[in-house]
């Protein structure tokens, strides 16, 4: 069939492909603005390549700063896709259907951007291949390379598999309005999908396999990132619980990121009929649960260190660091994180008064920002802590580091915006499958638009 | 196009075998990396240092001499003199160089084996391989490593053949640190800091012969000297097994845990 797709306004298929056909009035101005931010970051990166890492605020005392914080942060955001898509698939939660495409795309985009930061941080990125040619299996950096790349492959496959029938749908129904490039894309990426029961069977089984595999992979990635710090003896980092701590933190920030991005695209493309307030409430439950687990980890860490207050005299143990974190030079940032990243979001998502879309999205936004701050508090104070009889080190990010960080933050929405100009924003295949096999409420009736 | 289960399993098994072979091939070194490049006879010396803190007066000639010898920029103090306040209100000076640990944390975490241990037990850095990830700097408990944030100063003349034993000029984007002047000791000369210390506070020690000496020729038997003077190693409880011993005498603890 080669005619343009015609359907009722409330059908999810129409909504899923609408951004492909018509981007909306704010698309190009926003894309231009975000592109300029990205370009500024690229210029800063160029400056760094020409002159060296001296253009950053890093120094011999604090030799890891913004870039490493950004690495942990952005890779952590990608866990939203793992949770909402993989775990909800394995637990047969039908309400995931309208969200999974956005969640999986967010996971891939944030992972791609996050995995650039270790390279940006390298003193000699031109020697990256040495990791393969001279790789040492005992090094956490090498574990990081292996884990992140394996997880990336799994994320791509996880996004791509349910995309195949959607590509077939676009191939069959979008017609000339989509343009030549897109039609070629749909033709190739649909891999000859015809929608037969045999094909669907294979697809379903493979998606289940990837959903199962991606969970230990995700756990491994942030565990390995944690061990970049945890395998050293620095105060604050020298903790045996760092790996699960980081994994929970990633899940927490990942779910928050999914909520924020979901809300943004829901508003921009008027998907309120399909992504309803109930979706946000379910996601808020997950955010609340993860937030409480993260708060528990934080409490356990502070209590254990505080009870022993090791090394109050000369730079050993975490005593001085804990004191500066809770009462001293980092207290403002630390308690800011506790309030804005834990206390307020937990309140907003649990109190009936604020458990609506604006309240939940506010909570999620606070969490995303606060979890960046927490990653900064993980990296920099432990590096500034004296390990020898000296004063505390100091670190202020330079314009280069700020520009690159902002560029990464801008690249996430930019890439997603362009992604949904080619691929359906709602997974048509999964909506149909879940409607067929599970409860009908998964595909909501177009009974009025939920207010934002 | 249907793939049978047998074919899939065979394919996965082949892939797993390939990945395993790749992993084995990639890691050509064991966890502790050793490379013998320096001496003609294998392991005829095992170098260490002894610093007599009773004598150090904080003049920092050692720092200067090292910087001159290796053409270092001012922010790189491969031997750095710390001022430590004692409990009774005095000041003690403590020169810190790379401890050349027997269980070096920097060695364990380096992803490319740019940091390696030579056959004299010294930790050296191959700046041709270093990718500048700086996890070694995060791992070192003694803050002994320095990064080349900018282009390093160029030595005058035509000398441009840096090697791990004499990393001059250094390379931008890589890590540098004290090499215990192995380029001198291989030729029978004292390290720059030992030679520059006008208080005769820094001794070089050879663990194989058990002898230590300073620039004035004061020579002792290492084990006996260490025992008699109640020498200790800094942050020993971190299990790094450093090769630098300190002798105190002002009654300060310098954070030593249980001493006799």
């Amino acid at each position: 069939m080669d005619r343009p797709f015609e359907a009722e306004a409330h059908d999810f298929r129409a909504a899923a492909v609408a951004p492909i056909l018509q981007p909306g009035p704010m698309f190009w101005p926003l894309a231009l603005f975000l592109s300029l931010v990205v370009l500024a970051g690229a210029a800063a990166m160029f400056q760094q390549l020409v002159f060296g890492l001296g253009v950053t605020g890093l120094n011999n005392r604090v030799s890891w700063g913004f870039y490493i914080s950004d690495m942990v942060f952005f890779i952590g955001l990608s866990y939203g896709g793992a949770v909402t898509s993989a775990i909800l698939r394995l637990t047969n939660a039908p309400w995931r259907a309208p969200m999974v495409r956005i969640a999986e795309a967010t996971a891939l985009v944030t992972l791609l951007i996050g995995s650039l930061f270790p390279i940006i941080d390298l003193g000699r990125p031109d020697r990256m291949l040495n990791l393969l040619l001279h790789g040492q299996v005992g090094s956490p950096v090498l574990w990081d390379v292996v884990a992140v790349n394996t997880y990336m492959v799994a994320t791509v496959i996880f996004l791509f598999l349910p995309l195949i029938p959607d590509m077939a749908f676009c191939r069959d129904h979008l017609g000339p309005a989509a343009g030549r490039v897109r039609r070629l894309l749909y033709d190739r990426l649909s891999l000859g999908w015809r929608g037969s029961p045999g094909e669907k069977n294979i697809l379903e089984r493979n998606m289940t396999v990837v959903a199962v595999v991606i969970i230990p992979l995700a756990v491994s990635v942030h565990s390995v990132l944690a061990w970049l710090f945890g395998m050293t003896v620095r105060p604050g980092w020298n903790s045996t619980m760092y790996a699960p701590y980081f994994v929970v933190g990633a899940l927490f920030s990942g779910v928050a990121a999914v909520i924020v991005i979901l809300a943004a695209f829901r508003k921009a493309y008027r998907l309120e009929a399909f992504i309803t307030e109930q979706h946000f409430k379910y996601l808020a439950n997950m955010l609340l649960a993860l937030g409480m687990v993260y708060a528990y980890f934080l409490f356990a860490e502070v209590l254990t260190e505080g009870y022993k207050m090791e090394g109050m005299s000369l730079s050993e143990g975490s005593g001085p660091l804990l004191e500066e974190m809770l009462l001293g030079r980092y207290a403002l940032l630390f308690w800011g994180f506790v309030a804005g990243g834990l206390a307020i979001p937990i309140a907003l998502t649990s109190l009936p008064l604020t458990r609506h879309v604006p309240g939940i999205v506010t909570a999620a936004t606070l969490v995303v920002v606060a979890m960046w701050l927490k990653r900064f508090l993980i990296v920099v104070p432990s590096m500034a802590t004296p390990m020898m009889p000296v004063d505390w080190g100091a670190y202020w990010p330079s314009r280069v580091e700020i520009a690159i960080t902002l560029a990464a933050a801008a690249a996430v929405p930019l890439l997603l915006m362009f992604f949904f100009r080619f691929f359906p924003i709602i997974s048509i295949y999964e909506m149909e499958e879940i409607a067929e096999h599970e409860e009908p409420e998964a595909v909501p009736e177009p009974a009025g638009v939920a207010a934002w | 196009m249907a793939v049978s289960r047998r074919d899939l399993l065979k394919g996965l098994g082949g892939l797993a075998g390939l990945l395993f072979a790749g992993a084995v091939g990639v890691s050509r070194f064991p966890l502790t990396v050793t490379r013998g490049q320096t001496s003609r006879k294998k392991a005829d010396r095992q170098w260490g240092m002894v610093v007599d803190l009773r004598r150090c007066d904080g003049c920092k000639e050692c720092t200067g001499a090292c910087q001159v010898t290796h053409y270092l920029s001012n922010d790189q103090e491969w031997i750095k003199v710390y001022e430590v306040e004692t409990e009774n209100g005095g000041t003690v000076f403590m020169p810190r160089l790379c401890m050349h640990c027997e269980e070096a944390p920097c060695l364990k975490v380096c992803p490319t084996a740019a940091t390696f241990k030579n056959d004299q037990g010294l930790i050296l850095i191959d700046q041709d391989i270093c990718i500048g990830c700086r996890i070694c700097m995060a791992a070192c408990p003694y803050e002994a490593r320095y990064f080349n944030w900018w282009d390093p100063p160029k030595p005058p003349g035509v000398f441009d053949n840096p090697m791990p034993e004499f990393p001059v000029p250094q390379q931008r984007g890589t890590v540098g640190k004290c090499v215990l002047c192995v380029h001198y000791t291989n030729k029978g000369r004292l390290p720059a800091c030992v030679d520059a210390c006008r208080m005769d506070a820094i001794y070089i020690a050879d663990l194989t012969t058990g002898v230590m000496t300073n620039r004035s020729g004061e020579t002792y038997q290492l084990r006996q000297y260490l025992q008699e003077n109640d020498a200790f190693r800094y942050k020993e409880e971190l299990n790094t097994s450093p090769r630098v011993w300190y002798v105190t005498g002002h009654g300060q603890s310098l954070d030593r845990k249980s001493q006799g």
Side-chain angles (χ1 to χ4, degrees):
Chain A
M1 293 183 277
D2 238 353
R3 54 180 166 79
F5 183 71
E6 295 154 359
E8 315 154 75
H10 290 299
D11 185 31
F12 65 84
R13 295 173 190 82
V17 298
I20 300 176
L21 302 170
Q22 243 185 338
M26 281 310 293
F27 182 89
W28 286 111
L30 188 59
L32 184 66
F33 170 71
L34 292 173
S35 301
L36 287 175
V37 178
V38 171
L39 276 173
M45 182 67 202
F46 182 71
Q47 193 186 356
Q48 185 178 291
L49 287 172
V50 168
F51 293 107
L53 279 171
V55 302
T56 66
L58 297 167
N59 51 68
N60 288 313
R61 290 293 306 286
V62 184
S63 48
W64 276 348
F66 258 38
Y67 296 148
I68 298 296
S69 313
D70 292 336
M71 170 186 78
V72 181
F73 174 71
F74 282 101
I75 294 181
L77 292 188
S78 78
Y79 277 50
V83 173
T84 54
S85 206
I87 295 182
L88 292 183
R89 159 173 276 269
L90 292 174
T91 55
N92 270 329
W95 55 272
R96 75 183 189 280
M99 299 173 356
V100 285
R101 177 58 45 72
I102 295 178
E104 287 163 13
T106 304
L108 182 62
V109 163
T110 49
L111 182 62
L112 284 172
I113 289 168
S115 59
L116 286 180
F117 275 102
I119 304 171
I120 294 173
D121 185 67
L122 283 182
R124 294 301 296 254
D126 56 311
R127 293 180 179 171
M128 239 168 58
L129 279 182
N130 282 352
L131 286 165
L132 288 177
L133 301 171
H134 299 274
Q136 294 300 297
V137 291
S139 168
V141 172
L142 199 75
W143 305 341
D144 187 22
V145 171
V146 171
V148 167
N149 282 301
T150 315
Y151 179 54
M152 194 176 309
V153 169
T155 302
V156 169
I157 295 177
F158 196 49
L159 175 65
F160 179 64
L161 281 179
L163 207 52
I164 297 173
D166 279 20
M167 293 289 93
F169 176 87
C170 293
R171 172 196 68 199
D172 296 337
H173 292 106
L174 280 191
R180 226 175 7 163
V181 170
R182 286 191 186 84
R183 274 181 299 156
L184 187 65
L185 190 73
Y186 301 146
D187 206 48
R188 294 276 176 269
L189 288 184
S190 56
L191 302 183
W193 176 270
R194 291 293 158 209
S196 71
E199 284 176 338
K200 287 189 186 178
N201 199 14
I202 294 175
L203 188 68
E204 282 297 314
R205 279 188 302 149
N206 280 301
M207 281 173 69
T208 305
V209 167
V210 181
V212 168
V213 163
I214 208 170
I215 290 173
L217 278 180
V219 170
S220 76
V221 170
H222 252 253
S223 300
V224 154
L225 282 179
W227 290 330
L228 287 174
F229 311 102
M231 296 310 187
T232 71
V233 295
R234 281 194 180 261
W237 292 354
N238 193 7
S239 161
T240 55
M241 54 167 235
Y242 244 40
Y245 193 18
F246 269 51
V247 172
V248 172
L251 292 169
F252 183 43
S253 62
V255 170
V258 166
I259 292 176
V260 172
I261 291 181
L262 214 54
F265 280 103
R266 174 184 184 253
K267 178 130 202 238
Y269 290 125
R270 288 190 283 274
L271 303 172
E272 292 90 345
F274 314 104
I275 302 174
T276 64
E277 185 175 62
Q278 191 54 48
H279 285 98
F280 283 93
K281 287 192 173 172
Y282 286 147
L283 287 171
N285 290 346
M286 295 170 77
L287 193 69
L288 175 63
L290 289 164
M292 302 214 317
V293 177
Y294 198 70
Y296 164 64
F297 266 99
L298 182 64
F299 176 71
E301 180 187 32
V302 171
L303 182 69
T304 313
E305 286 180 358
Y307 192 90
K308 294 179 279 189
M309 279 310 249
E310 290 171 322
M312 282 307 287
S313 57
L314 230 204
S315 75
E316 274 148 27
S318 44
L321 174 65
L322 195 64
E323 198 178 358
E324 290 290 340
M325 188 76 80
L326 265 50
L327 303 169
R329 64 188 70 202
Y330 298 111
L332 197 62
L333 295 176
F334 177 78
W335 292 110
F337 160 73
V338 172
L342 292 174
I344 297 178
I346 287 176
L348 287 176
T349 51
S350 53
L351 298 173
L353 190 67
T354 49
R355 266 177 72 94
H356 45 52
V357 175
I360 293 167
V361 175
T362 305
T365 311
L366 284 173
V367 168
V368 169
V369 172
M371 284 307 281
W372 184 89
L373 189 59
K374 182 64 165 69
R375 269 51 174 272
F376 178 84
L377 286 173
I378 285 173
V379 173
V380 171
S382 288
M383 291 231 76
T385 305
M387 299 278 287
M388 297 294 288
V390 267
D391 287 330
W392 280 70
Y395 168 72
W396 294 105
S398 70
R399 279 179 300 190
V400 167
E401 289 161 293
I402 294 174
I404 292 179
T405 303
L406 289 176
V412 171
L414 184 66
L415 287 173
L416 285 172
M417 282 164 61
F418 276 99
F419 184 85
F420 295 125
R421 300 270 3 251
F422 291 91
F423 303 103
I425 195 169
I426 293 180
S427 176
I428 298 170
Y429 169 73
E430 294 200 57
M431 290 287 275
E432 289 174 347
E433 284 306 293
I434 291 171
E436 253 177 66
H437 298 295
E438 321 238 8
E439 296 99 71
E441 300 97 78
V443 183
E445 292 302 312
V449 171
W452 159 253
Chain B
M1 184 200 71
V3 177
S4 75
R5 182 179 301 167
R6 176 173 297 178
D7 288 336
L8 178 67
L9 286 175
K10 274 200 280 184
L12 283 178
L15 184 66
L18 223 84
L19 286 173
F20 179 72
V24 168
V26 147
S27 63
R28 299 179 307 183
F29 303 106
L31 274 182
T32 303
V33 178
T34 328
R35 249 189 264 166
Q37 285 176 355
T38 53
S39 51
R40 275 163 287 153
K41 277 189 298 181
K42 268 195 98 61
D44 56 350
R45 294 276 181 255
Q46 292 289 316
W47 298 116
M49 292 279 230
V50 180
V51 181
D52 190 343
L53 296 180
R54 299 167 297 190
R55 294 184 178 180
C56 177
D57 66 350
C59 70
K60 303 192 183 178
E61 293 279 325
C62 49
T63 306
C66 174
Q67 287 179 329
V68 164
T69 303
H70 301 101
Y71 298 91
L72 302 180
S73 55
N74 274 339
D75 67 318
Q76 294 210 359
E77 293 177 280
W78 288 2
I79 179 166
K80 184 181 171 78
V81 181
Y82 291 97
E83 294 178 28
V84 187
E85 305 209 343
T86 63
E87 287 106 25
N88 26 0
T91 311
V92 155
F93 298 99
M94 181 176 150
R96 176 237 70 212
L97 51 150
C98 169
M99 302 286 177
H100 295 278
C101 306
E102 313 244 343
E103 293 289 327
C106 58
L107 202 64
K108 288 186 204 170
V109 296
C110 178
T112 57
T115 292
F116 66 97
K117 186 186 283 207
N118 79 350
D119 57 0
Q120 297 165 338
L122 300 178
I123 310 283
L124 301 176
I125 301 171
D126 189 340
Q127 289 187 346
D128 283 332
I129 298 181
C130 176
I131 60 175
C133 71
R134 309 188 301 289
I135 189 174
C136 58
M137 291 174 73
C140 176
Y142 303 104
E143 291 181 356
R145 291 176 156 254
Y146 295 86
F147 190 73
N148 290 291
W149 303 99
W150 306 98
D151 281 323
K154 281 254 182 304
V158 296
F159 188 87
D160 192 11
N161 186 24
M163 61 189 83
E165 292 75 16
F166 190 56
V168 177
Q170 293 193 77
Q171 298 189 43
R172 191 227 289 176
T174 64
V175 175
K177 68 168 190 69
C178 157
V179 296
L180 232 158
C181 282
V182 61
H183 49 91
Y184 279 166
T185 55
N186 277 349
K187 298 193 174 93
R189 275 184 67 176
L190 292 173
C193 54
V194 176
D195 200 41
C197 179
R198 49 182 171 76
M199 299 298 291
D200 298 330
I202 308 182
Y203 297 78
I204 180 147
D206 176 15
L207 273 58
T208 51
T209 53
V211 174
M212 55 186 272
T213 187
N214 64 8
R215 76 169 197 164
S216 298
E218 283 180 72
T219 307
Y220 300 102
Q221 240 199 8
L222 181 66
R223 298 274 159 239
Q224 190 179 357
Y225 179 91
L226 294 177
Q227 201 169 17
E228 279 174 5
N229 293 288
D230 209 14
F232 74 105
R233 295 181 297 180
Y234 196 50
K235 294 190 190 234
E236 205 175 355
E237 68 280 0
L238 295 176
N239 296 322
T240 49
S241 278
R243 278 196 179 182
V244 176
W245 283 264
Y246 289 94
V247 172
T248 63
H250 301 269
Q252 71 276 19
S253 70
L254 271 180
D255 246 26
R256 294 154 63 188
K257 314 289 189 208
S258 67
Q259 287 296 324

